Amino acid sequence: MSSERDFALESNAWPFQEARKLLKRVESAKKPDGEPVLFETGYGPSGLPHIGTFGEVARTTMVMQAFQAISDLPTRLICFSDDMDGLRKVPDNVPNKELLEPALGKPLTVVPDPFGTHPSFGEHNNARLQSFLDQFGFDYEFYSATRCYKAGEFDDVLRRFLECYDEVLNIILPTLGADRRKTYSPFLPVCPETGQVLMVPVVERNVENATIVYQREDGKKIETSVLGGAVKMQWKADWAMRWRALGVDYEMAGKDLIDSVRLSGRICRALGGNPPEGFNYELFLDENGEKISKSKGNGLSIEDWLTYASPESLSLYMFQQPRRAKRLYFDIIPKTVDEYFSHVQKFDGLEGDKRLQSPAWHIHGGNPPANTPPVSFAMLLNLASVCNTEDPSVLWGFITRYAPDATPESQPELDRMVGYALNYYRDFVKPKKAFRAPTDQERAALTDLAGRFRGLDAGASGEDIQNAVYATGKDHDFENLRDWFKALYEVLFGQSQGPRFGGFVALYGLDEGVQLIEDGLAGKLG
């Protein structure tokens, strides 16, 4: 029989395709024995971390796990923060904006923290990122640009930049406008007087002393070292420097950065390095189809998703169709949660390559959990809606009748889902509930359905109950049974969509289902 590695070497799941591409690079490069294959993700801490940031780490981790399945070579994942960048504008979604205005142009690790929790804005955002990534159990190492520059970790490559300065300019200048070409330099000096990261022309360079002379706006010429954090690099040059200095083997980037990746790759080669393998993913959009932006704060934040759903469900969303632009907003959460559990539930029944195709393999590094909750997220949402409650004990009262062995202690994942469902109900379902009175046709059908429920055995299955619902709709001449189910949801739930009705009543209870119908007929639900 074939081993998992055999299947991994043939799997067409996108992380395995990336892993095989990377393995070819590593084998041709002949890395020294014991030197890890280095994966990197980048983070710009000018705004609060958002889901796109997490998506890059999650997807890179999936490729790293796939690589580990096809190779015994050691691996490392670096999460690199560009926290020495100058603050270009004040983000829209932070408090105490007046603290940031005077710090424009300064490195993010010098800018005051508007939240008042850390020494700087950059450190605040770095901590937010690490805290979130730690919740997922990512195996990563956090790198700060400020620390790397000031500790001299980039000094050798910075000296190399001085040596091949003209070659680097010949790569970059053709991509710039005429005015920008006159003043461009890959080196951005940190002004010793103002602390700002300056975009100024370099008029002299001294390779032997590792210094440059730049000209300020007031015409004064200043000589400074390029080592030890006295300068930082323009970002495309900075990216290339990182690849060269750290020996990065793999890094993803958004589709909007394809040209930048290509340009940074050319600079990396000029520095004597080999640019990493990579993958270009599509960007996330908000519900209006606009690109999600850290500074705008549009779309979902990291905290938003975790208020209403599990980290694993978010990982599923990242795994699915990474080369397709997808809208990332609140309405997709319930569906994604139930899709996640569906993949986990089916995993044990899969064999061979199909196991490696499953999102569950990639979300859990080949070891998804064995058990799934007995109740779906959609069902919990509708139970909360019908009960009109935000009390978890009310939902558990129904759950234990449906699944007697289930308790919050024995089903911690289900208990977590109950909390998520109540949060989602409170914020998105409850404010939009709009009950309506039934039409004459619907009233007759609902009255009939209540009678049929009374005639069912107390232990009737969800399928038996669903059959009764179908039969009622047919007997009352609904041309399209979809209209019948829509009527049930609008009259009884106050919403246009709902769960599989038979399964819901099996959870809620037949007697309670009858009472729900009677209250709907009497107009007591609105």
Side-chain angles (χ1 to χ4, degrees), residues 84-260:
M84 202 170 159
D85 283 353
L87 179 67
R88 298 175 186 173
K89 63 178 181 178
V90 177
D92 297 330
N93 57 342
V94 299
N96 302 313
K97 295 180 182 179
E98 67 278 2
L99 293 177
L100 303 185
E101 289 285 354
L104 287 173
K106 294 183 179 180
L108 292 162
T109 43
V110 175
V111 174
D113 177 16
F115 297 90
T117 61
H118 290 77
S120 71
F121 188 37
E123 289 166 282
H124 174 92
N125 289 337
N126 287 343
R128 291 280 293 271
L129 175 71
Q130 291 177 80
S131 175
F132 178 67
L133 297 180
D134 290 343
Q135 293 181 51
F136 284 78
F138 286 122
D139 182 14
Y140 73 99
E141 301 169 45
F142 181 79
Y143 270 51
S144 158
T146 300
R147 184 191 64 79
C148 289
Y149 271 103
K150 291 189 173 182
E153 294 186 27
F154 295 151
D155 283 357
D156 287 345
V157 183
L158 290 166
R159 289 180 185 275
R160 176 62 185 151
F161 259 107
L162 282 175
E163 294 171 358
C164 59
Y165 187 85
D166 291 334
E167 186 177 355
V168 171
L169 287 185
N170 288 336
I171 293 170
I172 296 176
L173 292 184
T175 69
L176 304 177
D179 291 339
R180 185 72 185 98
R181 290 179 199 173
K182 297 175 183 177
T183 61
Y184 177 84
S185 168
F187 295 104
L188 301 178
V190 179
C191 179
E193 297 176 7
T194 66
Q196 292 179 319
V197 180
L198 303 177
M199 298 182 66
V200 290
V202 170
V203 294
E204 295 179 31
R205 58 191 173 95
N206 187 316
V207 176
E208 184 177 348
N209 294 334
T211 63
I212 57 172
V213 176
Y214 64 90
Q215 185 170 341
R216 295 194 317 203
E217 289 186 355
D218 61 6
K220 185 177 180 180
K221 295 180 180 179
I222 307 291
E223 184 173 14
T224 184
S225 172
V226 300
L227 309 179
V231 305
K232 82 168 298 291
M233 305 302 290
Q234 292 268 13
W235 85 269
K236 294 184 179 97
D238 187 270
W239 209 2
M241 179 190 65
R242 240 161 51 205
W243 291 343
R244 176 69 177 89
L246 301 177
V248 177
D249 294 298
Y250 188 89
E251 181 161 3
M252 293 186 176
K255 189 177 179 180
D256 58 332
L257 297 180
I258 288 177
D259 289 340
S260 298

Side-chain angles (χ1 to χ4, degrees), residues 436 438-450 452-453 465-492 495-496 499 501-502 517 521:
R436 68 169 176 83
T439 65
D440 290 343
Q441 179 192 24
E442 293 164 355
R443 179 175 293 275
L446 284 164
T447 302
D448 185 8
L449 182 60
R452 297 189 191 210
F453 281 179
I465 298 171
Q466 186 75 2
N467 288 338
V469 179
Y470 271 115
T472 303
K474 290 179 180 178
D475 290 348
H476 286 266
D477 299 325
F478 284 89
E479 292 184 12
N480 187 337
L481 284 179
R482 188 177 301 169
D483 294 334
W484 165 229
F485 284 101
K486 185 178 180 183
L488 288 173
Y489 302 140
E490 292 177 348
V491 173
L492 304 181
Q495 53 200 67
S496 60
F501 199 74
I517 293 172
L521 291 171

Side-chain angles (χ1 to χ4, degrees), residues 404-451:
D405 295 334
T407 66
E409 293 73 28
S410 66
Q411 291 275 351
E413 185 63 38
L414 178 55
D415 192 44
R416 194 163 57 141
M417 281 177 61
V418 167
Y420 291 140
L422 291 173
N423 290 343
Y424 195 91
Y425 165 70
R426 176 195 66 219
D427 293 341
F428 298 105
V429 178
K430 187 177 181 178
K432 297 179 181 178
K433 287 169 73 74
F435 295 92
R436 68 169 176 83
T439 65
D440 290 343
Q441 179 192 24
E442 293 164 355
R443 179 175 293 275
L446 284 164
T447 302
D448 185 8
L449 182 60

Side-chain angles (χ1 to χ4, degrees), residues 296-343:
K296 288 182 180 179
N298 60 331
L300 289 179
S301 72
I302 289 170
E303 290 80 4
D304 287 336
W305 190 287
L306 292 185
T307 299
Y308 308 111
S310 67
E312 295 81 7
S313 63
L314 178 55
S315 292
L316 171 64
Y317 196 77
M318 299 305 166
F319 174 82
Q320 295 170 320
Q321 299 176 307
R323 291 195 187 274
R324 195 188 84 180
K326 296 185 294 184
R327 295 191 178 190
L328 184 60
Y329 59 105
F330 293 102
D331 288 358
I332 58 95
I333 290 178
K335 176 175 177 287
T336 306
V337 172
D338 283 337
E339 283 182 353
Y340 162 73
F341 285 116
S342 176
H343 286 299

